[in-house]
Amino acid sequence: MNDVQQLDELLASRLDQARRPVEPCTVVIFGASGDLTSRKLIPALYHLALERLMPRPFRIIGFARRDKTDESWRTELREALDKLSRTQPVKDDVWAEFASSIHYCQADISDASGYEKLKAMVAGFPDEKLRRNLLFYLATSPSQFAEVTAHLSAVGMLQKAEGGATPERVVVEKPFGHDLVSAQQLNGELTRFSHEKQIFRIDHYLGKETVQNILTFRFSNAIFERLWNREAIDHVQITVAEKLGVGSRGGYYEEAGAMRDMLQNHVLQVLALIAMEPPASLEAENVRDEKVKLLKSIRPMTPAQVAENVVRGQYFAGEVEGELRPAYRSEPKVKPNSSVETFVAMRLLIDNWRWSGVPFYLRTGKNLPLSASEVRIQFKPVPSILFNAQHGTRLDANSLTLRLQPNEGMTLRFNGKVPGGATELRPVRMNFSYDTEFGAYTPEAYERLLLEAMAGDATLFIRRDEVEAAWGIVDAIRNAWIGKPLTNREFYGAGTWGPFAADDLVARDGREWKNPQKQK
Ligand code: BG6
C-alpha cells in the first residue's frame, strides 16, 4: 500500500458495523450430492470459515439419496475443495474444524420419513439457536421445491409466518420458472408454506463485488449521479460475453437459451442497478422496490417491435483463442435443427423521467471472442463548436466503462491534448482497478450470498414481483419467436461478436458496439 492509499484507508467508513452478528445457524442443503454443492456451496462456506465469518457454532447438513456417511461425505467434499478452492492450499486446521460441523442425512426427497430423520438430527444439536435458526437451501430441480417445502412444513421445521417473523428461510436457485406463468406457479407453491420474506431467490450476479459496487458508486459520489440521465447520456451498452460454448450443458440449454439463461436474470439485474432511482434507504425492500419500478418502466414490445429491436443468434463452428469449437447444433444433446439462441442483443427503452429516449443496448452470448461483463455509459458528444467543429465527428465522446469481470474496475475516457506544437487531440483514460487498489481479493459471489442468507438480509436476493416483472419482459420477446426458425442472418461463427444483425441493430441508430478489450 502506498502513502496515498494509507491515507485513504483512514477515510474508509464501515456501514455494517451496526449489523447484528450472524446467529448460530443450521444450513440444510437439499440435493446435496449435486455438482453445485461441491463446486460452489462448500467452497464458499469454507472460505467464510477461513475468514472467520461463519456463525459460531454452525452446522451444515447434506440431504440426498445416495448412501454416504458423515465421514465419506466430508472426504468427498475435501477432495473437491482441494481442486476447486480459490485459495490454495486448503488449510488443514480450518478444514478440520469446519468439517466437524458437516453432517449427511441420507434420505429421499419424496419420502416423509427422511424429514423425520432430519428433524431428529437437528433436535440433537446442542445449541438452541442451531435448532431454530434454519436455512433450507434447495439445490434441487425447481419441480421439487413444492415437495420439499411441504414436507418441511408437515414435520414442523418450516413455519410460515406473516412478515417472515420466523427464523426459517428457504434459498432457491435459478432457473426460477421458464416463463411468467411457471414462475407465478412456483411462487404460489413456495408461498403456501413460507412467507415471501422467508424466500431468498439467488441470482449469483448480485453476489459479485463489482455488481454490488454499482449502487455504492452511483449513490456515494456526487459527480456521476448528476450526469446519470438523459441530459448527459447518449446511450448505455451492457455486454455479458462468454468465450465458452454450451459444452456438456446442451440438454439444459435447449430448454433455456441465452434469453432465459442469462438475460432474464443476470443482464436485467445489472440493468436494474445501473438505471434505478435512488432507494429511500438501503433496506432490502426499498432497494428491491426501486429495481421492480425500473423493470416495470421498460417499454413493452409488440411482436413487430421485437423483430426490430431484438436480435438472436446461434454459433456455428469456429475458433476461440485458437481452439476449434463445434457448431451449437453439433453439441451433445442438442437437436440438429435447433433454433435455440446462444446469443441475444436488444435495444430497450425505459419510459421514465430519467431515461426517456436513451437506448439501452444489451447483449450476451456464448463462444464470443472473450469472457467479459461490462457496462459502458456513453455520454453525449460536445456540441459541434470549438474542437469538435474542427474534428468533425471524429472527436471521441466521453464514456465510463464499469468492468464487472474480469479486470474489475472502471475506466473514464476523455479527450486530452497530445503534447507538442500541433493541436492534436486524442482520447485518454483514467483507470480504477480493484486489484491495484485493494489487492487481488475477489471473493466468490456465493460467499457473500450465503452470508447474507444466514444473516437474513434479503437485499441481494430477488423478490417475487421482481422475478415476475423480468419474465414479463422476456416472455413478450420469446413469444414473438414462436414458430420462427433462425434465418441465415442469425448465425455467427464461434469466436466472433455475434451475428451481423446485432451490429446493424446499433448501426441503424448511428452507433456501434464497443467490444470489451482483452487486458494485458
Ligand atoms: C449461469 C449460467 O447462471 O451464469 C451460465 O447458467 C453462465 O450459462 C454463468 O455461464 C455465467 O456466470 P459467470 O459468473 O461466470 O459470469
Side-chain angles (χ1 to χ4, degrees):
M1 204 183 280
N2 61 33
D3 290 354
V4 177
Q5 282 169 329
Q6 269 173 11
L7 286 174
D8 286 347
E9 190 79 353
L10 296 175
L11 293 174
S13 41
R14 278 205 66 141
L15 304 184
D16 52 3
Q17 262 158 348
R19 197 163 95 171
R20 312 176 260 132
V22 184
E23 299 273 349
C25 166
T26 297
V27 181
V28 185
I29 306 173
F30 291 89
S33 39
D35 190 48
L36 182 78
T37 308
S38 51
R39 220 165 27 85
K40 295 284 182 195
L41 305 183
I42 294 295
L45 291 164
Y46 161 77
H47 279 95
L48 290 176
L50 183 69
E51 278 145 31
R52 304 190 160 277
L53 293 171
M54 278 303 272
R56 290 177 162 235
F58 71 90
R59 291 288 186 278
I60 298 167
I61 302 179
F63 185 109
R65 203 169 34 192
R66 288 190 208 154
D67 195 12
K68 283 175 206 171
T69 61
D70 287 358
E71 262 326 304
S72 69
W73 196 42
R74 290 173 188 164
T75 311
E76 212 179 277
L77 293 174
R78 172 65 198 255
E79 280 165 13
L81 186 64
D82 282 332
K83 282 195 213 111
L84 299 166
S85 172
R86 71 172 169 85
T87 56
Q88 292 286 352
V90 172
K91 290 202 169 146
D92 286 329
D93 52 339
V94 177
W95 171 259
E97 201 193 328
F98 175 73
S100 67
S101 298
I102 300 183
H103 303 276
Y104 190 73
C105 178
Q106 196 228 329
D108 193 316
I109 272 184
S110 42
D111 181 1
S113 68
Y115 297 82
E116 292 292 352
K117 190 166 156 187
L118 176 69
K119 189 177 177 183
M121 248 171 127
V122 172
F125 291 156
D127 189 303
E128 145 94 61
K129 291 204 171 116
L130 286 178
R131 300 194 294 266
R132 278 178 32 82
N133 199 9
L134 305 173
L135 187 75
F136 301 112
Y137 199 112
L138 308 193
T140 63
S141 120
S143 61
Q144 294 171 313
F145 291 172
E147 197 174 11
V148 177
T149 48
H151 280 300
L152 287 171
S153 165
V155 294
M157 292 185 84
L158 175 62
Q159 290 164 59
K160 177 171 176 172
E162 267 325 298
T166 93
E168 300 108 47
R169 292 181 285 276
V170 179
V171 181
V172 293
E173 271 290 332
K174 77 169 255 260
F176 198 85
H178 52 269
D179 57 11
L180 177 57
V181 173
S182 58
Q184 282 168 333
Q185 196 182 338
L186 218 47
N187 280 327
E189 285 166 1
L190 278 172
T191 47
R192 270 181 67 200
F193 304 107
S194 49
H195 187 271
E196 172 61 27
K197 289 218 161 119
Q198 294 170 269
I199 303 171
F200 287 62
R201 296 177 194 79
I202 288 213
D203 181 319
H204 79 279
Y205 264 58
L206 294 185
K208 291 181 191 272
E209 278 291 332
T210 44
V211 175
Q212 288 165 40
N213 191 43
I214 295 174
L215 290 193
T216 316
F217 170 73
R218 286 191 53 200
F219 303 130
S220 70
N221 294 299
I223 50 175
F224 296 110
E225 189 53 21
R226 59 193 57 186
L227 297 177
W228 218 253
N229 55 46
R230 67 192 151 95
E231 304 298 332
I233 293 176
D234 177 75
H235 73 278
V236 177
Q237 299 188 6
I238 302 180
T239 300
V240 177
E242 293 186 280
K243 68 178 180 194
L244 286 180
V246 166
S248 59
R249 296 170 77 220
Y252 155 75
Y253 210 79
E254 278 285 277
E255 299 297 318
M259 197 69 171
R260 287 174 168 145
D261 183 47
M262 297 294 287
L263 203 118
Q264 186 272 344
N265 35 69
H266 311 325
V267 181
L268 286 183
Q269 282 298 319
V270 172
L271 168 69
L273 293 171
I274 287 288
M276 69 187 239
E277 294 300 316
S281 81
L282 295 173
E283 294 289 312
E285 298 318 326
N286 286 328
V287 172
R288 300 192 300 177
D289 283 349
E290 290 305 331
K291 286 202 288 167
V292 175
K293 208 167 94 194
L294 189 279
L295 292 174
K296 287 186 177 163
S297 311
I298 293 176
R299 187 182 295 177
M301 288 192 228
T302 61
Q305 287 164 335
V306 171
E308 218 173 285
N309 292 294
V310 186
V311 170
R312 53 187 173 152
Q314 188 189 90
Y315 59 82
F316 56 80
E319 248 182 51
V320 181
E321 291 183 336
E323 198 184 290
L324 281 174
R325 296 286 169 81
Y328 175 70
R329 289 177 173 182
S330 314
E331 302 274 22
K333 301 199 184 134
V334 170
K335 289 189 215 78
N337 60 349
S338 170
S339 271
V340 166
E341 76 290 352
T342 60
F343 174 96
V344 58
M346 67 177 72
R347 176 181 183 276
L348 290 181
L349 290 172
I350 298 173
D351 285 330
N352 66 14
W353 196 262
R354 185 190 287 263
W355 296 117
S356 180
V358 178
F360 282 72
Y361 301 102
L362 319 180
R363 63 180 168 164
T364 182
K366 303 254 184 224
N367 259 331
L368 300 188
L370 49 92
S371 290
S373 301
E374 285 190 5
V375 180
R376 186 177 171 111
I377 311 293
Q378 187 68 53
F379 293 96
K380 289 193 167 158
V382 289
S384 195
I385 48 173
L386 305 178
F387 296 111
N388 206 14
Q390 292 174 37
H391 261 71
T393 52
R394 283 185 304 122
L395 192 64
D396 202 56
N398 301 150
S399 67
L400 176 73
T401 302
L402 280 66
R403 288 188 306 281
L404 306 179
Q405 60 184 28
N407 308 305
E408 291 80 357
M410 289 176 201
T411 300
L412 182 65
R413 253 170 93 102
F414 52 95
N415 293 305
K417 179 182 176 308
V418 179
T423 311
E424 188 184 345
L425 273 69
R426 79 160 168 79
V428 293
R429 293 173 184 79
M430 226 151 79
N431 253 320
F432 151 63
S433 138
Y434 276 76
D435 270 12
T436 318
E437 197 68 27
F438 303 116
Y441 166 71
T442 318
E444 274 273 331
Y446 276 92
E447 292 170 32
R448 179 71 193 265
L449 294 176
L450 281 162
L451 187 63
E452 297 298 314
M454 286 188 285
D457 186 332
T459 316
L460 300 179
F461 297 84
I462 315 286
R463 205 168 60 187
R464 176 181 190 150
D465 47 356
E466 212 175 335
V467 86
E468 293 181 1
W471 275 123
I473 297 163
V474 163
D475 279 3
I477 298 173
R478 296 194 78 261
N479 289 343
W481 293 343
I482 293 173
K484 296 203 179 96
L486 291 172
T487 61
N488 286 345
R489 269 175 58 76
E490 290 168 315
F491 286 87
Y492 63 99
T496 68
W497 282 104
F500 292 124
D503 296 326
D504 296 345
L505 179 77
V506 284
R508 267 203 325 260
D509 295 345
R511 302 185 174 106
E512 59 180 2
W513 290 110
K514 300 287 182 178
N515 295 329
Q517 298 298 312
K518 196 166 192 153
Q519 309 279 324
K520 298 191 180 80

